[in-house]
Amino acid sequence: MNILILSAGTRNKVVQYFKEAVGNDGKVVATDCSNLAPAVYEADAFYLVPRITAPGYIDRILDICKKEKIDGVFSLIDPELSLLAKEKDKFLEVGTTPVISSYELVENCFDKYKMFHLLQEMNIPTGKCYVKKEDFYKDLENRNVKYPVFVKPVKGSASLNINKVASDSELEVLFNLYNDLMIQEFMDGQEYGADVYIDMLSGKCTSIFIKKKIKMRAGETDKSVSVKIPELFALIQNFVEKCGFCGMIDIDIFEINGTFYISEVNPRFGGGYPHAYACGVNMPKLVINNLKGKENPVTIGEYEEGICMMKYNEIAIMDFNGKELVD
């Protein structure tokens, strides 16, 4: 069983987890556009590739899949997920299965206004969103929403260009500076994260790990504690199965006055997944089972509560004497 991890970057733990899951029965190959990406040196083989926007990028990845006899491929960065989903058939033709949801679902995840409408249609609580200032001002006047609010790109990731604003004047400045912005209700409540796996063969949600977020840093969970909330398990299971998600996804949730609101959905491993793995939620094993044609049993909530994750900085030292540095 050979796995290809695209745009590995700094996600060393994910590479390590897949190496452990594959064992002696295959290999883990990693790619990145920089040879200063520390995670690639954890893999059995590393390929330096062009940026995902470069002409011929997909052909380069397909060549790697053929050369390394790759069984399954996935990416760790948002911009590449739509590309991988869109070109799924090309990968299947060379015998490689992309571990990714459908192109339409991936696009819905990254268009926050589309996801807002999808959640509304499913009667799942979510924060109010506006792409027209006039609609927001009308609801503001009618006291259906209030400041502060978030102003963010309709499509974006990693919490980039998100601004918390508290007045009309601040909002107007941002809308005059940037295009394709939206206004999102400020969710003032306890934040949770869910690492979720949907079986690629049965379509059933087989694993959910919930962490209560204690501290965030640069858009990722820095400190968290494992919890079990049956009501939230049921909400997530219903949502992901009805939508038809596939493989591993990451969901952000807020709890306000006893009601759970889905905020964002990322169709990939979340930055806080190591917490789930440390608690025994082994998604690499679930991926490999599916790639071998085996359905996974439902094990939702099978982990310990009260286990804390505390991220800390680490460094990698490599001898690059005489080598070109690509960043």
Side-chain angles (χ1 to χ4, degrees):
M1 182 60 57
N2 299 326
I3 302 295
L4 176 60
I5 301 177
L6 304 175
S7 302
T10 59
R11 304 292 290 277
N12 296 53
K13 289 294 185 183
V14 173
V15 179
Q16 292 170 11
Y17 300 157
F18 271 91
K19 281 194 67 175
E20 184 175 340
V22 168
N24 297 323
D25 296 328
K27 58 190 172 184
V28 175
V29 181
T31 72
D32 203 275
C33 63
S34 169
N35 59 5
L36 294 177
V40 300
Y41 299 103
E42 304 278 357
D44 296 302
F46 156 52
Y47 287 85
L48 184 65
V49 297
R51 295 189 178 277
I52 64 172
T53 53
Y57 174 77
I58 281 293
D59 291 334
R60 172 66 171 141
I61 302 302
L62 289 169
D63 286 342
I64 295 170
C65 289
K66 288 185 282 188
K67 179 180 177 182
E68 298 288 352
K69 296 181 174 57
I70 298 297
D71 297 288
V73 60
F74 64 91
S75 176
L76 293 174
I77 63 169
D78 291 342
E80 194 166 20
L81 299 178
S82 293
L83 181 62
L84 191 59
K86 188 176 183 179
E87 303 293 352
K88 183 175 182 177
D89 288 344
K90 290 183 179 179
F91 285 93
L92 293 175
E93 286 173 7
V94 300
T96 301
T97 299
V99 184
I100 188 69
S101 297
S102 70
Y103 177 72
E104 181 181 4
L105 266 178
V106 172
E107 285 289 286
N108 279 342
C109 289
F110 296 137
D111 188 316
K112 295 174 178 60
Y113 196 63
K114 284 185 179 179
M115 179 54 68
F116 164 68
H117 278 295
L118 176 62
L119 290 166
Q120 277 197 319
E121 290 168 5
M122 298 179 71
N123 293 317
I124 293 176
T126 188
K128 297 182 183 72
C129 293
Y130 309 85
V131 290
K132 294 181 179 179
K133 292 183 297 180
E134 296 75 19
D135 293 338
F136 167 71
Y137 287 139
K138 184 177 180 180
D139 265 9
L140 188 66
E141 185 178 350
N142 293 329
R143 297 185 179 181
N144 293 323
V145 68
K146 62 181 180 180
Y147 285 115
V149 294
F150 283 118
V151 175
K152 59 175 67 175
V154 172
K155 293 186 177 182
S157 64
S159 298
L160 296 175
N161 299 323
I162 294 179
N163 293 276
K164 186 178 178 181
V165 303
S167 67
D168 294 357
S169 58
E170 291 177 66
L171 188 145
E172 289 293 341
V173 167
L174 290 170
F175 268 79
N176 287 331
L177 285 173
Y178 305 109
N179 296 318
D180 300 320
L181 293 179
M182 61 177 279
I183 303 162
Q184 187 176 56
E185 181 180 13
F186 173 58
M187 308 294 283
D188 189 13
Q190 176 60 55
E191 189 173 0
Y192 295 87
D195 298 284
V196 185
Y197 190 81
I198 304 92
D199 196 88
M200 295 191 288
L201 301 178
S202 70
K204 294 179 181 178
C205 178
T206 60
S207 180
I208 302 174
F209 173 84
I210 299 173
K211 52 185 173 285
K212 182 178 180 180
K213 299 185 180 184
I214 298 171
K215 184 178 180 181
M216 300 291 292
R217 179 173 59 172
E220 288 194 357
T221 306
D222 196 51
K223 295 178 175 63
S224 56
V225 60
S226 60
V227 296
K228 296 184 183 182
I229 307 174
E231 178 187 349
L232 190 48
F233 285 147
L235 174 69
I236 292 169
Q237 185 175 12
N238 174 66
F239 168 62
V240 299
E241 289 186 355
K242 280 191 174 180
C243 286
F245 281 100
C246 174
M248 53 278 179
I249 66 172
D250 168 69
I251 303 177
D252 294 330
I253 306 113
F254 285 88
E255 182 183 10
I256 302 172
N257 298 324
T259 298
F260 292 102
Y261 295 76
I262 289 182
S263 174
E264 291 195 12
V265 182
N266 302 301
R268 53 162 171 75
F269 277 112
Y273 171 67
H275 190 178
Y277 186 86
C279 291
V281 181
N282 191 337
M283 289 191 187
K285 182 179 178 181
L286 304 183
V287 171
I288 290 170
N289 283 343
N290 279 171
L291 293 174
K292 288 180 175 179
K294 300 177 184 177
E295 291 186 11
N296 292 296
V298 176
T299 58
I300 293 172
E302 293 190 8
Y303 57 86
E304 286 189 59
E305 288 188 283
I307 306 300
C308 288
M309 177 190 75
M310 298 158 280
K311 281 187 180 178
Y312 62 95
N313 293 330
E314 185 55 275
I315 63 171
I317 302 295
M318 300 287 295
D319 184 356
F320 272 78
N321 186 34
K323 295 180 182 178
E324 181 184 1
L325 303 184
V326 181
D327 190 20

